[in-house]
Amino acid sequence: MRASILGFVFALLLLLREPGCHGDEVTSSTVNPCCYFPCQHWGVCVRTTQEEYECDCTRTGYYGENCTIPEFLIRVRYFLKPGPNVVHYILTHFHWLWDIVNSTFLRESLMRLVLTVRSNLIPNPPTFNSKYGYLNWESYYNLTYYTRILPPVPEDCPSPVGAKGRAVLPDPEVVVERLLKRRTFRPDPQGSNLMFAFFAQHFTHQFFKTYNRMGVGFTKALSHGVDAGHIYGDNLERQLALRLLKDGKLKYQVIDGEVFPPSVVDAPVYMSYPPGVPAERQMAIGQEVFGLLPGLGLYATLWLREHNRICDILRAEHPVWDDEQLFQTARLIVIGETIRIVIEEYVQHLSGYLLNLKFDPTLLFNSQFQYGNRIALEFSQLYHWHPLMPDSFHINGDELSYKHFLFNTSILTHYGVEKLVDSFSRQVAGQIGGGHNINTVVTHVAVGTIKESRQLRIQPFNEYRKRFNLEPYASFRDFSDNEEIAQTLEELYGDIDALEFYPGLMLERTRPESIFGESMVEMGAPFSLKGLLGNPICSPDYWKPSTFGGKVGFDIVNTASLKKLVCLNSRTCPYVSFRVPAEEKSQPGKECPDEL
Ligand code: HEM
Ligand SMILES: *[C@@H]1O[C@H](CO)[C@@H](O)[C@H](O)[C@H]1NC(C)=O
Ligand SMILES: *[C@@H]1O[C@H](CO)[C@@H](O)[C@H](O)[C@H]1NC(C)=O
Ligand SMILES: *[C@@H]1O[C@H](CO)[C@@H](O)[C@H](O)[C@H]1NC(C)=O
Ligand SMILES: *[C@@H]1O[C@H](CO)[C@@H](O)[C@H](O)[C@H]1NC(C)=O
């Protein structure tokens, strides 16, 4: 009986998901017809005359004026395919099933399926950007732009979200005040902790670096992916200022016998601090905004120590290598370690999947998978996970308010790596979805996110639901199980098809006992996995021992973990995890575990 369920589940998962069928809309004769998003199922809306348009349905599996009529095979597949909530339920239940799957070839098969199904939702080469809603060379070639999955809402539409809903969109301040601002702290039911929250922020800020001086929609992180630019800087000049230029290492300073990032006096790079913070107290870090939070300084310290530790290992293996080769190879190892920790621990935790996720680039060597990545504006909007932040920070028995925590240059050295890791690993983070959970200190960021979305004319939430093969919501009550939220949204937006992208992600009903709802997972996972596996080190010509300085270096990549990152770079081994400890387990292990 178990074997047959197993086979059934496998068959279910194998059926690639296809878009559902969506209703037609009424157009008015004076409005650009594309403002109503008439083309379904990834069809492209091309305007012809004032009142006319055409849908290009090529390779969508559908035909007809609005790409709504399915071809026969699509009809069969659509009938058979399980919805994302069914797949999610299976992936997060039936322990006995996954106990079997985890230890057989099915783990690899399912992992390959997860990677390909998710990645196929992301176009490669990239398509639109905030200036161009049609394909063109500039949009492909100019890396200064974030890419866009869906084209911007045309400028001549009645509203920044098209043509539906109220004539005027609600004031972003009002949306945040009434729906997103925290009332009382609501912990994440999945038990994510601050170690997780700061990892999320630290990791993503290597590729989310909005270039405010250029304007919204532009990025400073031109490699568009996991390049460890938050450790080494996003340009060569900064990198050279941060490097010791000896043995491949990064500059550092020693405080009370412990290694920390150097001061800006010794590594002259720009760091973003409030006026009045003296240069001696500013730490020089790859990412210029990481002085903001001791949690970011903590990860910067860990990765700096790790980089220099790897350099020692590489130099012992290759006494003839010069500084440059040691540095460059250590950087690739750091990138590899990062990707492994993100997939096998961070995404594993976040997904709640019982399938044991595996970082193994060889899984894709026989698939049609394109290497390369371009960071999307939608991905940056989606990742504004500020509800994770608590109301205050509990460190080693002290309670610190935001006023004392933000930009405080002494916390990192005062407590040291071990105590911060232990404290951050024990303090629960906030639930991201479900509304009413952003601390007032950061509500202004949410306001800015909504303003940016309007200025850059990001399509409404339901259009993204369709783009990621999800059914659009039919009403606000369908969208949320919270009557107050549904009612307020109805009042503010008037039409579910006018609901904006970011508020939609933050306010959608959460899955049971989960950190957020269906859309965050179904839209976030494709961006994330494409970005991780699309990295050049995952391609066949790179993914081999010699790239990482031989077997020793390759082994470091293949066995990396959060625990090792901390415990191989600290004196004692604190409690370290992306999850708060289970209630019963009270005492942290104070010694380094055997496997280290
Ligand atoms: C107390 C903690 C935090 C503070 C004070 C803070 C503050 C800010 C500020 C001021 C911005 C820039 C907004 C703008 O320029 O319009 C920002 C952007 C952002 N934040 Fe946070 N943040 C915090 C925690 C987090 C966390 C935990 C995450 C989780 C991933 C996060 C994700 C982001 C993202 C993705 C952006 C956009 C970055 C970009 O496009 O350059 N933040 N945050
Ligand atoms: C296509 O969509 C337009 C605009 O939404 C609508 O007026 C028209 O009736 C639709 N055509 C078909 C064949 O459904
Ligand atoms: C990219 O586009 C921006 C805005 O049009 C322009 O200022 C910049 O010079 C372009 N960059 C390159 C490399 O062409
Ligand atoms: C299978 O993997 C999941 C996720 O890593 C884990 O929670 C579960 O305990 C594993 N089962 C076995 C038997 O390893
Ligand atoms: C910074 O943190 C230290 C140690 O917790 C604290 O004593 C100090 O008051 C803080 N500084 C500021 C400016 O808040």
Side-chain angles (χ1 to χ4, degrees):
M1 176 265 198
R2 283 187 177 186
S4 66
I5 296 187
L6 191 70
F8 175 68
V9 168
F10 192 48
L12 281 186
L13 289 167
L14 273 171
L15 295 163
L16 289 186
R17 307 195 50 260
E18 294 297 337
C21 196
H22 314 293
D24 301 326
E25 308 300 341
V26 194
T27 51
S28 124
S29 56
T30 53
V31 172
N32 173 353
C34 291
C35 298
Y36 289 91
F37 313 113
C39 309
Q40 307 301 310
H41 304 116
W42 301 26
V44 178
C45 190
V46 183
R47 207 172 169 197
T48 50
T49 67
Q50 194 61 29
E51 284 133 55
E52 286 169 78
Y53 67 94
E54 268 169 22
C55 295
D56 183 349
C57 309
T58 307
R59 284 185 291 279
T60 61
Y62 292 78
Y63 59 97
E65 192 185 335
N66 299 325
C67 318
T68 48
I69 309 166
E71 288 159 8
F72 177 72
L73 273 175
I74 297 288
R75 209 185 287 262
V76 174
R77 237 197 253 171
Y78 184 68
F79 177 74
L80 290 173
K81 86 169 180 197
N85 282 328
V86 173
V87 175
H88 184 84
Y89 188 85
I90 294 168
L91 279 163
T92 52
H93 292 77
F94 312 110
H95 271 272
W96 58 265
L97 170 80
W98 297 108
D99 286 356
I100 301 167
V101 171
N102 279 356
S103 52
T104 65
F105 74 98
L106 287 171
R107 178 187 176 201
E108 277 79 25
S109 309
L110 288 177
M111 189 66 206
R112 181 183 302 116
L113 191 70
V114 168
L115 292 173
T116 51
V117 170
R118 297 289 196 194
S119 303
N120 280 338
L121 291 162
I122 306 299
N124 191 344
T127 51
F128 313 107
N129 67 26
S130 294
K131 180 170 177 192
Y132 297 102
Y134 51 91
L135 299 188
N136 67 89
W137 196 259
E138 177 66 15
S139 173
Y140 164 72
Y141 183 71
N142 191 329
L143 297 173
T144 315
Y145 291 94
Y146 286 116
T147 187
R148 297 273 287 260
I149 297 304
L150 285 178
V153 173
E155 285 298 332
D156 58 359
C157 293
S159 111
V161 292
K164 294 196 192 163
R166 306 233 181 274
V168 179
L169 285 172
D171 183 346
E173 305 269 358
V174 172
V175 175
V176 171
E177 177 70 29
R178 292 181 59 184
L179 294 161
L180 296 177
K181 194 170 100 180
R182 178 173 289 157
R183 291 169 179 172
T184 54
F185 175 79
R186 197 170 65 249
D188 169 28
Q190 288 179 224
S192 305
N193 55 27
L194 296 190
M195 199 65 188
F196 174 85
F198 292 130
F199 189 95
Q201 192 181 11
H202 177 86
F203 169 70
T204 59
H205 281 55
Q206 68 189 297
F207 47 76
F208 296 143
K209 298 188 75 175
T210 299
Y211 197 173
N212 291 313
R213 215 173 292 168
M214 282 277 290
V216 284
F218 296 102
T219 178
K220 269 189 280 192
L222 299 181
S223 55
H224 286 268
V226 182
D227 64 348
H230 57 338
I231 301 168
Y232 306 109
D234 65 19
N235 63 74
L236 189 55
E237 195 192 344
R238 193 172 177 98
Q239 182 204 108
L240 290 171
L242 291 167
R243 282 171 59 177
L244 196 57
L245 299 177
K246 185 171 179 299
D247 301 339
K249 291 187 177 179
L250 292 168
K251 287 179 187 165
Y252 59 91
Q253 61 179 319
V254 178
I255 299 173
D256 296 335
E258 300 280 339
V259 170
F260 290 100
S263 91
V264 167
V265 177
D266 293 324
V269 296
Y270 169 76
M271 289 298 295
S272 168
Y273 276 96
V277 179
E280 313 81 69
R281 304 214 43 90
Q282 298 187 14
M283 280 182 182
I285 294 174
Q287 225 293 11
E288 55 271 29
V289 305
F290 281 2
L292 171 68
L293 289 157
L296 300 172
L298 168 67
Y299 275 110
T301 304
L302 286 169
W303 283 115
L304 175 128
R305 292 181 186 180
E306 178 67 1
H307 175 94
N308 287 353
R309 189 185 74 86
I310 293 168
C311 288
D312 285 333
I313 294 171
L314 288 177
R315 197 167 69 107
E317 285 288 309
H318 308 277
V320 296
W321 279 12
D322 62 2
D323 166 74
E324 188 68 17
Q325 194 164 5
L326 290 166
F327 170 82
Q328 299 294 354
T329 306
R331 180 175 187 167
L332 290 186
I333 294 175
V334 162
I335 291 170
E337 289 189 282
T338 302
I339 299 175
R340 179 165 305 274
I341 292 171
V342 170
I343 293 179
E344 296 190 355
E345 299 184 73
Y346 176 91
V347 175
Q348 181 82 63
H349 163 76
L350 201 58
S351 68
Y353 289 175
L354 295 174
L355 165 65
N356 200 197
L357 300 183
K358 187 176 184 185
F359 171 46
D360 180 0
T362 65
L363 290 176
L364 294 174
F365 286 178
N366 293 315
S367 324
Q368 336 165 304
F369 178 84
Q370 307 283 322
Y371 293 93
N373 189 49
R374 195 78 62 91
I375 298 297
L377 182 75
E378 295 95 334
F379 191 30
S380 153
Q381 285 252 324
L382 170 155
Y383 234 117
H384 281 65
W385 290 355
H386 296 89
L388 286 171
M389 287 292 105
D391 290 337
S392 63
F393 300 85
H394 296 269
I395 303 172
N396 199 34
D398 302 332
E399 181 176 358
L400 281 83
S401 66
Y402 277 91
K403 189 168 150 276
H404 287 118
F405 194 68
L406 299 186
F407 288 114
N408 188 320
T409 54
S410 60
I411 288 177
L412 179 58
T413 48
H414 175 78
Y415 292 100
V417 162
E418 288 87 344
K419 284 195 176 118
L420 287 181
V421 168
D422 196 84
S423 303
F424 291 155
S425 294
R426 289 172 193 283
Q427 184 174 354
V428 73
Q431 184 183 32
I432 295 171
H436 299 300
N437 210 21
I438 302 184
N439 185 284
T440 46
V441 170
V442 279
T443 46
H444 71 277
V445 184
V447 173
T449 310
I450 297 174
K451 286 184 177 163
E452 175 192 77
S453 151
R454 291 183 192 177
Q455 201 178 337
L456 297 177
R457 305 183 75 89
I458 294 182
Q459 291 193 22
F461 182 64
N462 259 347
E463 289 304 312
Y464 281 96
R465 294 269 305 167
K466 292 192 258 175
R467 177 58 179 71
F468 285 91
N469 293 345
L470 305 167
E471 282 296 322
Y473 285 110
S475 68
F476 287 108
R477 269 157 200 82
D478 183 20
F479 165 82
S480 171
D481 47 9
N482 177 321
E483 185 54 30
E484 185 199 340
I485 290 177
Q487 230 170 54
T488 309
L489 286 172
E490 180 94 59
E491 179 197 327
L492 295 178
Y493 287 96
D495 186 332
I496 185 72
D497 287 337
L499 175 62
E500 294 172 281
F501 180 66
Y502 174 68
L505 287 162
M506 302 303 282
L507 295 167
E508 180 183 34
R509 70 174 73 226
T510 55
R511 279 175 167 155
E513 296 303 303
S514 298
I515 189 163
F516 35 50
E518 176 189 61
S519 302
M520 190 77 86
V521 178
E522 302 300 318
M523 298 177 193
F527 288 121
S528 164
L529 294 176
K530 172 73 191 174
L532 293 163
L533 270 298
N535 194 287
I537 69 159
C538 300
S539 67
D541 285 329
Y542 282 63
W543 188 252
K544 48 178 81 167
S546 52
T547 305
F548 305 94
K551 181 177 183 310
V552 176
F554 206 29
D555 283 348
I556 296 177
V557 172
N558 283 317
T559 60
S561 69
L562 178 67
K563 189 170 199 166
K564 282 183 160 186
L565 174 64
V566 171
C567 296
L568 294 178
N569 294 298
S570 58
R571 288 181 204 282
T572 59
C573 190
Y575 173 67
V576 43
S577 174
F578 285 144
R579 206 176 203 298
V580 290
E583 248 108 342
E584 273 66 47
K585 282 191 228 142
S586 53
Q587 267 312 301
K590 281 291 172 196
E591 297 305 314
C592 277
D594 297 342
E595 70 261 34
L596 297 173

